[in-house]
């Protein structure tokens, strides 16, 4: 008696690409390992937990110094803090890429503030960066190429075959949508505070909507990747176990 798989293959001769079936019971330990390595790599690129703290220091210094000493002094104070962090990481022989990026970011924000002539200009770059990111992530969902899936596939060599699995694509859609909400919320809240000249609250929103919301989005992203639980395409082709055939 032919199996259901044989009937399906006979009905669809082009069904040659093997993809894993995602079930609640099937969790690939290799995916958990890859996710763990990716989490560690991302954290290292952000400078570790200390880097998350250091990134808020220029903002914490800028606002009170501006209040008591004026914009010019506040700009130099923020730049000084960013430079001190960079030097400190050099002395500790820690990864300096996050500190270099942070210093350049503070420099750009300071330049904008100086050109605008108001302290709130320090936050303008971050506000519009959030708008651009929200738009890019949203468009990727509309194009049925959610960025979370694209980035995960690029980092781990999975390619784009996950797009043929509707459940996996929906999981990546969800994770990408969370990033849209995070960036969109940052833009809406901070742009409103910018327009109403609430510089102090801008700083509070910058910090409060920074790493805390990023952490939430990362948790959802990791959950989506682990829930997808699919093998790299080349391994799926070799194993043939726990897979179903879908049109190429």
């Amino acid at each position: 008696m032919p199996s259901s798989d044989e009937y399906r293959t006979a009905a669809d001769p082009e069904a040659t690409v093997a993809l894993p079936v995602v079930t609640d019971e099937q969790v690939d330990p290799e995916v958990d390992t890859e996710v763990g390595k990716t989490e560690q790599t991302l954290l290292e690129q952000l400078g570790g937990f200390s880097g998350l703290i250091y990134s808020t220091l220029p903002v914490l210094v800028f606002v009170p110094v501006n209040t008591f000493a004026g914009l010019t002094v506040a700009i130099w104070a923020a730049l000084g803090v960013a430079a001190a962090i960079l030097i400190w990481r050099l002395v500790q022989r820690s990864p300096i890429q996050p500190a270099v990026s942070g210093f350049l970011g503070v420099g750009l924000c300071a330049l904008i503030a100086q050109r605008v002539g108001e302290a709130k200009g320090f936050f303008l770059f971050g506000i519009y960066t959030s708008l651009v990111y929200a738009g890019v992530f949203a468009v990727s969902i509309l194009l049925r190429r959610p960025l979370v899936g694209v980035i995960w596939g690029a980092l781990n060599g999975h390619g784009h075959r996950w797009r043929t699995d509707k459940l996996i694509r929906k999981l990546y859609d969800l994770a990408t949508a969370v990033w849209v909400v995070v960036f969109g919320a940052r833009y809406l809240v901070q742009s409103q505070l910018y327009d109403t000249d609430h510089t102090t609250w801008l700083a509070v929103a910058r910090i409060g909507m920074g790493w805390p919301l990023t952490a939430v989005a990362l948790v959802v992203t990791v959950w989506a990747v682990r829930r997808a639980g699919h093998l790299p395409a080349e391994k799926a082709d070799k194993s043939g176990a726990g897979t179903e055939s879908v049109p190429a």
Side-chain angles (χ1 to χ4, degrees), residues 16-235:
T16 57
V17 179
L19 289 175
V21 176
V22 180
T23 65
D24 291 335
E25 293 77 16
Q26 179 183 350
V27 178
D28 181 11
E30 294 189 28
V31 172
D32 279 341
T33 300
E34 290 176 357
V35 173
K37 290 180 180 178
T38 301
E39 289 180 85
Q40 184 176 0
T41 300
L42 289 174
L43 188 59
E44 289 173 353
Q45 291 175 347
L46 294 173
F49 289 109
S50 60
L52 305 185
I53 297 173
Y54 292 154
S55 65
T56 65
L57 293 181
V59 176
L60 289 175
V61 169
F62 177 81
V63 174
V65 172
N66 174 73
T67 301
F68 294 105
L71 178 60
T72 301
V73 177
I75 288 174
W76 284 108
L79 287 172
V81 170
I85 293 171
L86 176 58
I87 294 172
W88 176 250
R89 295 191 75 88
L90 283 172
V91 171
Q92 287 190 317
R93 296 186 177 181
S94 302
I96 64 169
Q97 188 276 329
V100 172
S101 299
F103 179 79
L104 294 176
V106 171
L108 180 57
C109 292
L111 177 63
I112 295 173
Q114 191 274 330
R115 295 297 298 269
V116 171
E118 296 181 79
K120 67 179 185 179
F122 188 84
F123 304 94
L124 199 57
F125 177 73
I127 291 172
Y128 283 101
T129 297
S130 294
L131 177 62
V132 171
Y133 283 155
V136 170
F137 275 77
V139 169
S140 75
I141 296 174
L142 296 177
L143 295 177
R144 302 180 69 181
R145 288 173 173 79
L147 268 182
V148 168
V150 172
I151 294 171
W152 174 249
L155 286 175
N156 298 279
H158 291 181
H160 301 286
R161 291 189 178 182
W162 54 266
R163 292 181 55 224
T164 61
D165 189 303
K166 291 183 179 180
L167 177 56
I168 291 176
R169 192 171 65 244
K170 286 181 179 179
L171 287 167
Y172 290 154
D173 280 342
L174 174 61
T176 303
V178 171
W179 287 102
V180 174
V181 172
V182 167
F183 289 122
R186 287 176 182 170
Y187 170 75
L188 291 174
V189 172
Q190 295 178 34
S191 63
Q192 179 64 26
L193 293 172
Y194 181 91
D195 291 339
T196 54
D197 297 322
H198 288 89
T199 304
T200 301
W201 282 108
L202 255 177
V204 173
R206 172 77 169 267
I207 296 171
M209 303 183 76
W211 296 117
L213 288 186
T214 299
V216 172
L218 284 174
V219 167
V220 175
T221 299
V222 170
W223 170 84
V225 169
R226 285 179 171 163
R227 178 66 182 84
H230 63 290
L231 289 167
E234 64 272 13
K235 291 184 179 179

